Amino acid sequence: MSGSDEVIHQSLRLRIMATLNAMPAREQMEFTRLRAILGATDGNLGAHVATLENAGYIKVEKDFVAKKPRTRVAATAKGRKAFANHVAFLRALIEDPPTSLAAE
Amino acid sequence: MSLTRDDAAEALRLVEEAGARSAMLRRYENIAPHLIMWGCIYAVAYSIEFTLPQYGGLPWVILGPAGGVGGFLLAQRYGSKAGGGFFSAAILAIVAFVVASVAIMQPQDPKQLAAFVPLVVALIYTLWGLAIGRRLMVTGVCLGLLTVFGFFALPGFFLLWMAVVAGGGVALGGFWLRHA
């Protein structure tokens, strides 16, 4: 089992990954849609999206539709794997905590 | 950073909430185009039935299969790869149920058939909505209530009622799902 993924574990980044991971592989979600689902602000979401993109966990594509800018994001294979590993780590922590925690 | 069991439990709760909401909204996005298309078909078919009663159920003979084909294409466009096959099987099962029911009950008034089909559709939306999301369930309940109300309260204008309120209501339900 892998350890905690510090990139993913932050609350909003965890929710971003959970939201994108629930979509089929290679399917993209518009940034505005993601912002509405998560109830985040543009700046806050943009910063965390950039962190995930830099880690290679999500892919960001920008284009224009009817002369309006559009940003779409999608979880990468690396991101999905990292997310699955992190969730497995969290589950294991609850079901089979380290000895020091179990004694608390 | 060391995580406690409470931290892990809270993180998993966030994951499950976000994942469930994402999946529900994706299903809404897939279903919305179907509702908008069928709402338009209801509006057009019931309007023709009301204004040109001499043609009887001909609008449905044309628009019903057209809607089936349109739905199949939408399922392939917006749903999963298996969506088209699932949609086709579901439509066939519904059509078979309606045909068998009508054959057994033999309605005497065309309005009975005009009310029965949307009631079946309303039941499907409601049950489907119970499984995947409240907005679809509300759309189904509203369609059923509006159909029953129009049938008993406005017998002389029932087809027009169905064109405007049921057709428009289903299409609006589709937009409501799309913007969830």
Side-chain angles (χ1 to χ4, degrees), chain A residues 44-92:
Chain A
N44 195 21
L45 183 59
H48 289 295
V49 161
T51 301
L52 290 168
E53 185 185 20
N54 290 337
Y57 290 174
I58 65 173
K59 187 177 180 186
V60 180
E61 281 188 12
K62 297 183 179 184
D63 59 4
F64 286 86
V65 176
K67 297 182 180 177
K68 289 183 180 176
R70 178 178 66 170
T71 302
R72 291 178 296 171
V73 295
T76 62
K78 180 183 176 185
R80 287 176 186 274
K81 189 175 179 186
F83 177 75
N85 285 339
H86 186 66
V87 169
F89 164 76
L90 294 173
R91 292 214 168 99

Side-chain angles (χ1 to χ4, degrees), chain B residues 34-61:
Chain B
H34 292 273
L35 263 63
I36 294 168
M37 180 192 73
W38 281 107
C40 294
I41 287 176
Y42 295 159
V44 171
Y46 281 122
S47 297
I48 295 172
E49 264 194 299
F50 179 74
T51 53
L52 302 168
Q54 65 270 30
Y55 291 113
L58 185 61
W60 290 107
V61 173

Side-chain angles (χ1 to χ4, degrees), chain A residues 6 9 19 27 33 37 94, chain B residues 1 5 22 26 29 180:
Chain A
E6 299 307 318
H9 185 69
T19 300
E27 192 159 309
R33 183 76 163 153
I37 290 173
I94 291 173
Chain B
M1 182 182 71
R5 292 177 76 171
S22 177
R26 181 177 148 67
E29 282 180 356

Side-chain angles (χ1 to χ4, degrees), chain B residues 140-178:
Chain B
V141 169
C142 289
L143 176 61
L145 290 175
L146 291 170
T147 301
V148 172
F149 176 82
F151 185 83
F152 288 110
L154 304 163
F157 298 93
F158 178 63
L159 296 175
L160 183 61
W161 168 264
M162 291 303 287
V164 175
V165 179
V170 169
L172 279 176
F175 284 110
W176 191 36
L177 260 59
R178 178 177 277 181

Side-chain angles (χ1 to χ4, degrees), chain B residues 94-109 112-113 116-117 120:
Chain B
I94 294 164
V95 169
F97 171 76
V98 169
V99 169
S101 300
V102 170
I104 290 169
M105 293 189 288
Q106 299 187 6
Q108 302 300 308
D109 183 342
Q112 290 176 304
L113 184 57
F116 178 64
V117 175
V120 171

